[in-house]
Amino acid sequence: GNSVTQMEGPVTLSEEAFLTINCTYTATGYPSLFWYVQYPGEGLQLLLKATKADDKGSNKGFEATYRKETTSFHLEKGSVQVSDSAVYFCALSDRTGTASKLTFGTGTRLQVTL
Amino acid sequence: NAGVTQTPKFQVLKTGQSMTLQCAQDMNHEYMSWYRQDPGMGLRLIHYSVGAGITDQGEVPNGYNVSRSTTEDFPLRLLSAAPSQTSVYFCATKFGREGTEAFFGQGTRLTVV
């Protein structure tokens, strides 16, 4: 079946540091890939997505490229801010049965300090 | 425009009690789903619906029932709560059946003692 593997957290960085959160996936079809972010006490919100190989998703300074050859979708940001502190989830969406369903990784907590 | 609304936000149940978690959306989304979030396990799909009158099981359906009588509402029922159902529950909706963006409610934190 489908699965998503993310690096263990927490990740602690100083403000303005470079961020990478690794994500690899296993899927039987041709999934769409997503990064969702969860701020404390809130639900998940879509951060960025990519629907096919070599697509780059980007939003709010975050980027991730869909790499089919390495089955990866690593999240990067050049300069993190304290406000980026949250839990980040990598996910894939693949059609099985009557609808496409999301499969999530376990989440990576990011803490950014001054 | 409220989006996805979940009630209640917090609930404590005794083992064996029943309750219904409510989810309502005002975006006319066809697809609605329930997830549970547990530490170290990410989000796992419980049940989903692709339209009124149509529901299907996800990854962890045991102990939960759902129905979809309207486009707007998708309640999740726990018939006999167990401590293993202590979790944070999220309702999520999508415009259609395919791999588009999902919109999440703010969650219901349930504790079963």
Side-chain angles (χ1 to χ4, degrees):
Chain A
N2 297 335
S3 67
V4 176
T5 303
Q6 285 182 242
M7 61 188 290
E8 290 274 339
V11 173
T12 303
L13 295 172
S14 299
E15 202 171 41
E16 298 184 1
F18 184 86
L19 168 71
T20 300
I21 300 178
N22 290 338
C23 171
T24 57
Y25 68 90
T26 302
T28 52
Y30 299 92
S32 296
L33 301 175
F34 303 83
W35 277 100
Y36 281 84
V37 59
Q38 184 181 30
Y39 297 102
E42 298 185 9
L44 281 69
Q45 356 179 330
L46 180 68
L47 180 60
L48 53 85
K49 69 177 183 182
T51 58
K52 60 183 187 298
D54 299 325
D55 268 2
K56 179 186 282 190
S58 62
N59 186 25
K60 299 181 182 179
F62 291 90
E63 293 183 339
T65 301
Y66 190 142
R67 302 282 188 203
K68 190 165 180 288
E69 64 276 12
T70 55
T71 61
S72 64
F73 193 55
H74 304 321
L75 182 69
E76 296 182 337
K77 187 175 186 183
S79 176
V80 294
Q81 306 299 313
V82 172
S83 57
D84 294 326
S85 298
V87 180
Y88 292 81
F89 291 91
C90 185
L92 67 83
S93 178
D94 199 11
R95 180 69 180 259
T96 54
T98 56
S100 292
K101 294 184 279 289
L102 284 167
T103 300
F104 288 89
T106 54
T108 302
R109 181 176 299 278
L110 170 66
Q111 185 167 349
V112 181
T113 59
L114 290 170
Chain B
N1 192 348
V4 182
T5 303
Q6 289 184 236
T7 55
K9 286 189 169 48
F10 301 94
Q11 183 71 50
V12 179
L13 287 179
K14 294 182 179 177
T15 298
Q17 286 185 317
S18 63
M19 81 160 292
T20 299
L21 280 62
Q22 301 291 346
C23 176
Q25 55 110 350
D26 61 2
M27 297 177 285
N28 202 32
H29 282 177
E30 184 179 46
Y31 179 100
M32 297 184 74
S33 56
W34 279 101
Y35 289 85
R36 58 178 291 172
Q37 182 180 26
D38 301 293
M41 303 191 75
L43 280 80
R44 293 180 292 168
L45 181 65
I46 305 171
H47 285 285
Y48 67 98
S49 167
V50 298
I54 306 170
T55 63
D56 206 346
Q57 295 182 349
E59 182 185 354
V60 288
N62 292 343
Y64 307 95
N65 281 353
V66 292
S67 60
R68 183 96 179 268
S69 56
T70 66
T71 300
E72 293 79 19
D73 299 296
F74 190 45
L76 179 72
R77 297 185 187 84
L78 285 70
L79 297 180
S80 179
S84 61
Q85 294 178 304
T86 293
S87 187
V88 181
Y89 292 85
F90 287 100
C91 178
T93 74
K94 293 192 300 179
F95 178 71
R97 301 184 183 202
E98 302 308 324
T100 56
E101 176 183 357
F103 293 82
F104 285 78
Q106 291 200 317
T108 295
R109 183 174 294 276
L110 175 68
T111 302
V112 183
V113 297

